[in-house]
Amino acid sequence: MARQINHKELVNTRLAANYGGWMYCNVCNENIGYLCYATYDRIDMTYECQCGSKGSVCIDFSDSQAGACCDEPLVKIKNRWCCSADQEPLITILEPKLRRYHVAITCKACSRIYKQSRE
């Protein structure tokens, strides 16, 4: 069953589907990552693409939980950043395509808010 989006704001970014799938920079059309449909509850991401474009992704849902800050890092399994509690994939960030990024992503299963960045 599809989730009901509460807030969705994309700046210089497009998604392959309504609230997940492949993420693209709208300026250069490069693939910058993958947002896993079923495992995240909220995402707040800002980035600067290698082309110089600055973009952002902010999505939450009508049933999103408040979440709790987590000091544990995301776990990288293959190319996916995963929840440290259940190792479910949350997001893939294609780091060579981005100069810098900041992401705060909430796991739907455990409501932990993970933060990941590169300057």
Side-chain angles (χ1 to χ4, degrees):
M1 183 172 147
R3 297 181 74 192
Q4 206 61 22
I5 294 174
N6 180 47
H7 176 81
K8 177 179 176 181
E9 183 179 349
L10 304 176
V11 175
N12 290 330
T13 309
R14 75 177 189 283
L15 296 174
N18 193 25
Y19 55 83
W22 293 108
M23 299 185 298
Y24 299 90
C25 170
N26 264 356
V27 176
C28 67
N29 292 316
E30 284 290 328
N31 180 341
I32 60 168
Y34 185 86
L35 184 56
C36 300
Y37 295 89
T39 55
Y40 83 95
D41 200 33
R42 176 180 171 78
I43 183 166
D44 240 326
M45 178 177 177
T46 58
Y47 67 88
E48 183 178 355
C49 183
Q50 287 292 354
C51 75
S53 171
K54 293 183 180 179
S56 64
V57 177
C58 183
I59 303 172
D60 68 5
F61 303 92
S62 57
D63 62 347
S64 289
Q65 302 298 312
C69 289
C70 177
D71 292 333
E72 294 179 45
L74 287 163
V75 176
K76 195 166 192 179
I77 300 174
K78 295 185 181 178
N79 66 338
R80 301 174 187 147
W81 290 106
C82 304
C83 173
S84 62
D86 61 11
Q87 298 187 342
E88 286 293 323
L90 297 170
I91 191 169
T92 298
I93 298 171
L94 299 177
E95 293 192 10
K97 305 285 179 89
L98 301 177
R99 292 181 181 170
R100 61 187 57 84
Y101 67 87
H102 298 280
V103 64
I105 191 163
T106 306
C107 177
K108 185 177 176 193
C110 68
S111 297
R112 291 179 181 185
I113 302 169
Y114 292 97
K115 294 183 179 177
Q116 180 77 24
S117 64
R118 185 179 79 185
E119 288 295 325

